[in-house]
Amino acid sequence: MLKRFSLLYLSFLLFFAISYPLTDLLMNILFSDTLAEDITGDYQAYIYPLKAAYPYLTHHEWQSLLQQISNQSNLLINIANDDILLLNEQARQTIDLGKMVIQHPYDRDKMAVFARISDTVVIKLSALQVKEELYLSLIFIQFIAPLGLIALFTLGVMLWQQYRLNHLEKTSLKLAQGKLNARAATGWLAVGEINQGFNDMAEKLERMFNSQKHMITAVSHELKTPLFRLQMQLNLAKDEPHTQKIGDYLTQMHEDIDEMNTLIRELLSVSKMEQMDHFDDMLQTNLVQWLTVHTEQLAKHCQQPVKLNIANDIPDVIVMQAINSKQLKRALSNLVFNADRFAQTTIQLKVYTQDQRLCLSIEDDGIGIAGSERQRIFEPFSRIDSDRNRDSGGFGLGLAIVKEIIRCHGASISVIQSQLGGASFVISFPIQR
């Protein structure tokens, strides 16, 4: 943000530097007539006495008078009979009519006033001269110092504002990383009411998240106890004499209890991983070699053949990824077994690079997933209304767990249409150099 602010401030100074001459030009266009009238009134006080004195002076006396005025005053006066030839026709006609012609009224160094004293004499008067050091001091006091103070004050205010915004930005990043106890500074570092509003929001999020976490943990714990008792009672009931029909009921009840235990474990897994930013025990691993080993293992448990295709143009340094082998295998197993459930003839895994990322896709040639359902399938307990999902079992938590595992690896997952005709789950890892 500081870089952006510096660029903004430099842009402001550049704009000021460019706009200054344009402003000067605009002022010249808008107020040139008014300024010319004002200068004319000032210089008439010099020209009238000179006109009155000229007929009574010899040429030598006239030259001496002009020289004396130039030496002893802040006004330079010269005979300009030759200079008027450099003026345009309109200016010369104005001088011949007995009027003054003013050139460059906004420029102290170039300003010149032409006036006719007699039929044969035209004089040229400069701007009122000011000592250079005094002129620079006046410019500094009148313009540079005030503008400098304003610029410094503005810069100070903007830097202070930027400093407070940086504090708020750092706090927001901590909150985004899952540190729900992060709070924005108050008092002098507060940006209006934004910090207090941010803290209120953070407190509500922390309270809601903790409440949800405690509720899931408590419910899971409270469910485990009666489920364990039921399981023990069923085991005891199985040992008692019973008919075949009762035995079938008892077996089904055992399966239902196992499903409930599985649901509780998956709920706790999702809840735990949602609190994590990344896995702590991650090791640099050659992902291609890791996939080769685990794909062979998973293929033994699949009904359809599993193929692994690795692009030839992947440098060795790129395939090195920091992973938690156990968790990533859990995600890969879920995706491969899902593909096996819906594939018609084949399952294909591909490793390739795209847009500066290392990608792994798990594809099948099944019925695929509708575009409108592709985002929703990663939500907990989501169930899509399609033949792909019908009678597939599970609780709708598998892909939610997969998404959290992938997120904790700093990667992302999406689903697209496979070239095989079914679904393609694409895991995208950032390239680690």
Side-chain angles (χ1 to χ4, degrees):
M1 290 185 68
L2 186 58
K3 291 182 179 179
R4 294 198 298 268
F5 166 76
S6 300
L7 290 175
L8 180 64
Y9 195 75
L10 289 175
S11 300
F12 170 76
L13 294 179
L14 180 62
F15 173 77
F16 179 79
I18 295 174
S19 63
Y20 181 78
L22 297 178
T23 305
D24 184 64
L25 178 62
L26 180 62
M27 294 290 290
N28 193 12
I29 294 173
L30 295 177
F31 301 104
S32 58
D33 293 339
T34 303
L35 182 60
E37 292 177 3
D38 185 62
I39 294 174
T40 299
D42 293 338
Y43 278 77
Q44 289 289 7
Y46 298 96
I47 294 172
Y48 282 150
L50 291 174
K51 279 186 177 181
Y54 179 75
Y56 303 101
L57 300 174
T58 65
H59 178 72
H60 179 71
E61 291 173 336
W62 174 250
Q63 291 283 4
S64 298
L65 176 63
L66 296 184
Q67 186 64 38
Q68 188 176 7
I69 293 173
S70 298
N71 292 337
Q72 299 181 7
S73 70
N74 293 327
L75 186 67
L76 301 179
I77 305 177
N78 298 302
I79 296 175
N81 292 343
D82 295 332
D83 291 341
I84 63 173
L85 298 176
L86 302 176
L87 302 177
N88 58 42
E89 183 65 27
Q90 183 180 1
R92 292 198 297 271
Q93 290 178 0
T94 302
I95 293 173
D96 292 339
L97 293 174
K99 298 180 180 179
M100 282 187 287
V101 170
I102 304 170
Q103 288 192 319
H104 307 294
Y106 284 97
D107 193 329
R108 183 177 67 93
D109 296 325
K110 296 181 180 180
M111 177 181 163
V113 178
F114 294 87
R116 183 172 289 281
I117 298 300
S118 69
D119 293 339
T120 59
V121 177
V122 175
I123 61 173
K124 175 183 175 182
L125 300 89
S126 70
L128 292 173
Q129 300 299 300
V130 181
K131 290 183 178 181
E132 190 66 25
E133 59 272 15
L134 179 60
Y135 177 73
L136 293 176
S137 299
L138 290 173
I139 292 295
F140 180 81
I141 294 172
Q142 290 181 331
F143 298 102
I144 299 178
L147 287 176
L149 290 175
I150 292 173
L152 287 175
F153 176 77
T154 304
L155 178 63
V157 171
M158 296 181 71
L159 285 175
W160 175 243
Q161 188 75 358
Q162 188 69 32
Y163 179 75
R164 296 188 295 173
L165 288 173
N166 285 341
H167 268 270
L168 184 59
E169 182 184 32
K170 291 178 181 178
T171 306
S172 66
L173 290 175
K174 289 180 181 179
L175 187 66
Q177 293 169 357
K179 299 176 182 178
L180 298 181
N181 60 342
R183 296 293 182 270
T186 55
W188 286 96
L189 289 176
V191 184
E193 298 295 327
I194 297 178
N195 290 44
Q196 187 58 48
F198 180 91
N199 289 341
D200 292 342
M201 176 191 68
E203 288 177 5
K204 290 180 181 179
L205 286 174
E206 184 178 20
R207 187 166 57 250
M208 291 171 60
F209 188 82
N210 289 335
S211 175
Q212 180 188 30
K213 180 179 66 174
H214 294 153
M215 182 182 68
I216 291 175
T217 304
V219 169
S220 300
H221 176 75
E222 294 300 324
L223 283 175
K224 281 183 177 180
T225 301
L227 285 174
F228 178 75
R229 289 200 299 265
L230 282 173
Q231 197 166 27
M232 292 297 296
Q233 291 168 1
L234 286 174
N235 289 334
L236 292 174
K238 267 190 149 185
D239 294 336
E240 298 295 328
H242 55 265
T243 64
Q244 180 64 37
K245 188 173 183 179
I246 295 297
D248 294 339
Y249 287 150
L250 293 175
T251 301
Q252 184 62 47
M253 291 173 70
H254 266 294
E255 293 176 356
D256 291 341
I257 291 174
D258 290 339
E259 284 190 9
M260 288 291 292
N261 284 321
T262 301
L263 173 60
I264 292 171
R265 286 195 300 271
E266 291 186 355
L267 272 174
L268 291 174
S269 294
V270 173
S271 177
K272 181 179 179 180
M273 280 188 283
E274 283 179 344
Q275 304 172 45
M276 301 172 62
D277 183 43
H278 57 82
F279 294 114
D280 293 329
D281 48 347
M282 297 175 68
L283 298 175
Q284 287 290 331
T285 306
N286 186 307
L287 194 61
V288 171
Q289 295 178 1
W290 185 90
L291 280 171
T292 302
V293 172
H294 287 86
T295 300
E296 292 177 357
Q297 293 177 358
L298 292 173
K300 297 176 182 178
H301 304 282
C302 293
Q303 296 180 355
Q304 306 298 340
V306 181
K307 299 178 182 179
L308 175 62
N309 295 329
I310 302 171
N312 295 324
D313 58 347
I314 303 178
D316 292 338
V317 67
I318 294 179
V319 299
M320 296 301 295
Q321 293 287 326
I323 65 170
N324 180 303
S325 181
K326 179 181 178 181
Q327 294 294 343
L328 190 59
K329 181 181 178 181
R330 181 181 182 184
L332 181 65
S333 300
N334 186 293
L335 294 173
V336 171
F337 291 152
N338 275 349
D340 184 53
R341 185 180 299 129
F342 302 108
Q344 300 293 324
T345 59
T346 186
I347 303 168
Q348 191 172 86
L349 276 68
K350 295 181 181 178
V351 182
Y352 56 95
T353 57
Q354 183 178 22
D355 298 331
Q356 297 299 310
R357 297 179 75 86
L358 183 65
C359 298
L360 164 65
S361 66
I362 298 93
E363 307 180 22
D364 64 67
D365 59 351
I367 60 174
I369 301 173
S372 58
E373 304 286 352
R374 290 174 185 171
Q375 282 297 115
R376 196 165 64 87
I377 60 172
F378 294 105
E379 297 175 2
F381 299 106
S382 63
R383 304 287 258 171
I384 57 176
D385 186 17
S386 69
D387 292 337
R388 183 181 178 93
N389 189 64
R390 193 171 299 151
D391 299 327
S392 63
F395 309 100
L397 288 172
L399 290 178
I401 294 174
V402 169
K403 181 180 179 181
E404 290 302 320
I405 292 174
I406 299 303
R407 181 187 62 79
C408 289
H409 280 84
S412 61
I413 184 170
S414 60
V415 58
I416 59 176
Q417 183 72 24
S418 170
Q419 294 180 353
L420 301 176
S424 174
F425 288 84
V426 181
I427 303 173
S428 182
F429 295 91
I431 293 178
Q432 301 178 6
R433 298 188 182 276

